Amino acid sequence: MAGIYIHIPFCRHKCTYCDFASFPDRVDYAESYMACLYKELKMRGEELKDYVFDTVYFGGGTPSYIPPKLILGAMNQIKKCFRLSENPEITLELNPGTIAESKIQIYKQAGINRFSIGLQTAIDEQLEDLGRIHNARDYVFATKLLKGENFSTDVMLGLKNQTKDDVKKTIDLAHACGSKHISMYALTVEDGTPIYTDYLNGELPDADEVAELYEYGAKLLKEKGYERYEVSNFAVPGFESKHNLNYWKRGEYIGVGLSASSFMQGKRFTNTFDLDEYMKCIISGYYPAVTCEEVEEKDAKFEFVMLALRTKYGVSMSEYKTVFGSSLGDDFPVALKKTVKYLELNGDNLKIKDEYLYVQNTILMNFLEEPTKE
């Protein structure tokens, strides 16, 4: 599998926790920026003409904030410059406060067949604290406009004054509105964001409290028929995100647009985070990459294990040997010994036991210093 990621760096208002490359005050650049993005798509497509791409993902920022004709234009350019599989998964992130029926119609015309809605919480006071531009009613309105379309819902944990009852109300709402996929993840507080002050003042739940909210939410989701297939992702069987699964399987992907990251042909590269620099580079016919590195075998082995152990599928022992020519046991003997009580082997697959999946970062740290063999 291979995927295409498109970054749309514009939004109506920057959330208090947001550390992404997004600009609430420069939407007047949208058409010029997208013209550059179309050109980058052409440049990338010429180099990747032998690839077949299975997924396309529009992220941001808020892709649903810019005029929908620009999304249509991007999809037309993708279809022109890239080879897509017969039934590609094409996802667009949307904010409930920026949606309208006319936009949905144009998205469908573009070929969007999956939507990712940023609800975060069903509690309006918490949405205000986060700087979100919508309320719970806007989310309900957005899901009604989708009229049965395949959509995912984002749910955030670790919010100020958040209780288990708040988590239940949020999950209940997403389920009642027909969400087939729910991403439930802990708030990450970054230095320099407005919400960092709340963190310093001790106004946010601590790690243990967030873990309790997660376990409670995971139990509710299971009862409602959502299967956890990755530590933060739950889906009705058959509605897993193919785009994200490609990341966790260490598949290749090309990122287009400001700050977009790529992993192609054993190399990782990331575009500049400077909007003006990005546009200048593309207009001049140069790639706007600021980092580019070849992944060493040792790092590749750790990435393979780390990403796979985040999922319910775990590491395929045979696939590992096929890719690297060595066995998992030979490459990670110390880590496997230290973490044996947290792991289970199901046939060919080594996975983290369900009850320890949420604390997988602690488990994975044991694999970071290996493999010892060169």
Side-chain angles (χ1 to χ4, degrees):
M1 283 186 65
I4 301 171
Y5 173 79
I6 307 294
H7 190 71
I8 310 296
F10 305 105
C11 55
R12 183 183 295 173
H13 182 268
K14 201 169 181 75
C15 300
T16 60
Y17 58 87
C18 181
D19 192 41
F20 297 126
S22 60
F23 307 96
D25 56 347
R26 303 186 72 175
V27 71
D28 54 316
Y29 277 61
E31 293 211 12
S32 298
Y33 170 81
M34 293 300 286
C36 290
L37 189 143
Y38 299 163
K39 184 174 180 180
E40 187 186 358
L41 282 169
K42 182 179 180 181
M43 292 163 63
R44 300 289 188 188
E46 289 173 351
E47 291 192 351
L48 301 172
K49 57 186 178 182
D50 294 331
Y51 276 78
V52 176
F53 291 88
D54 307 279
T55 66
V56 179
Y57 193 102
F58 288 87
T62 307
S64 60
Y65 180 46
I66 66 173
K69 66 178 183 179
L70 298 177
I71 301 295
L72 176 61
M75 277 308 306
N76 287 340
Q77 185 75 332
I78 288 170
K79 293 172 184 175
K80 180 180 178 181
C81 300
F82 292 83
R83 292 172 59 199
L84 298 180
S85 58
E86 188 174 345
N87 295 300
E89 176 191 87
I90 305 174
T91 304
L92 180 121
E93 290 182 354
L94 64 84
N95 184 304
T98 63
I99 204 63
E101 187 170 6
S102 58
K103 286 187 175 183
I104 299 294
Q105 292 174 350
I106 295 176
Y107 296 150
K108 290 181 182 179
Q109 181 184 346
I112 307 296
N113 53 28
R114 185 176 183 273
F115 297 87
S116 179
I117 308 178
L119 170 59
Q120 315 309 349
T121 173
I123 310 305
D124 287 345
E125 293 81 0
Q126 292 168 2
L127 289 171
E128 289 182 18
D129 284 340
L130 293 175
R132 302 291 292 179
I133 63 170
H134 67 90
N135 56 34
R137 289 181 64 185
D138 293 328
Y139 170 80
V140 175
F141 175 72
T143 62
K144 287 183 177 178
L145 288 181
L146 292 177
K147 297 176 182 176
E149 290 290 319
N150 178 17
F151 69 89
S152 173
T153 300
D154 286 348
V155 172
M156 189 178 284
L157 303 176
L159 308 182
K160 187 176 179 179
N161 301 319
Q162 189 177 40
T163 65
K164 288 182 179 179
D165 189 52
D166 296 336
V167 174
K168 183 177 188 305
K169 288 179 180 177
T170 304
I171 291 174
D172 285 347
L173 180 63
H175 175 67
C177 288
S179 186
K180 295 293 193 296
H181 183 288
I182 294 179
S183 295
M184 184 177 69
Y185 56 97
L187 168 67
T188 301
V189 181
E190 301 289 351
D191 191 1
T193 59
I195 205 169
Y196 192 69
T197 302
D198 290 342
Y199 169 73
L200 292 177
N201 293 335
E203 297 179 5
L204 300 178
D206 61 29
D208 289 338
E209 291 171 318
V210 175
E212 284 187 23
L213 293 175
Y214 174 86
E215 292 299 334
Y216 178 73
K219 182 180 178 181
L220 286 178
L221 287 165
K222 184 176 181 180
E223 292 172 354
K224 293 181 181 296
Y226 297 89
E227 186 174 309
R228 178 172 60 181
Y229 68 99
E230 191 270 345
V231 62
S232 299
N233 287 270
F234 304 74
V236 173
F239 288 89
E240 297 84 359
S241 167
K242 294 178 182 177
H243 187 81
N244 287 340
L245 277 172
N246 183 53
Y247 289 149
W248 299 318
K249 292 179 179 179
R250 204 170 175 270
E252 293 182 300
Y253 54 91
I254 187 70
V256 179
L258 187 76
S259 77
S261 294
S262 304
F263 175 54
M264 299 294 298
Q265 300 169 342
K267 295 181 180 179
R268 294 194 183 281
F269 45 97
T270 302
N271 284 351
T272 178
F273 284 66
D274 185 305
L275 180 59
D276 292 327
E277 181 69 17
Y278 171 80
M279 295 173 68
K280 288 177 183 176
C281 285
I282 295 298
I283 290 171
S284 301
Y286 296 102
Y287 285 129
V290 291
T291 62
C292 183
E293 60 180 3
E294 191 156 351
V295 181
E296 296 181 3
E297 184 177 69
K298 178 180 178 179
D299 295 327
K301 289 178 176 180
F302 171 71
E303 288 176 3
F304 189 98
V305 173
M306 178 267 293
L307 292 169
L309 286 180
R310 290 182 59 89
T311 72
K312 71 169 187 176
Y313 314 103
V315 182
S316 167
M317 309 288 272
S318 59
E319 185 179 353
Y320 182 93
K321 191 164 187 176
T322 298
V323 173
F324 299 111
S326 56
S327 73
L328 192 68
D330 286 341
D331 286 341
F332 297 96
V334 178
L336 289 171
K337 185 176 180 180
K338 286 183 177 179
T339 60
V340 63
K341 72 175 183 179
Y342 305 112
L343 305 174
E344 62 182 7
L345 185 63
N346 293 331
D348 181 55
N349 291 75
L350 183 72
K351 56 173 286 190
I352 295 176
K353 294 177 182 178
D354 286 348
E355 61 266 33
Y356 298 116
L357 191 57
Y358 184 67
V359 293
Q360 42 82 34
N361 281 338
T362 303
I363 298 168
L364 292 173
M365 287 302 295
N366 291 283
F367 292 83
L368 190 57
E369 297 304 319
E370 292 188 282
T372 55
K373 294 183 179 181
E374 294 297 334

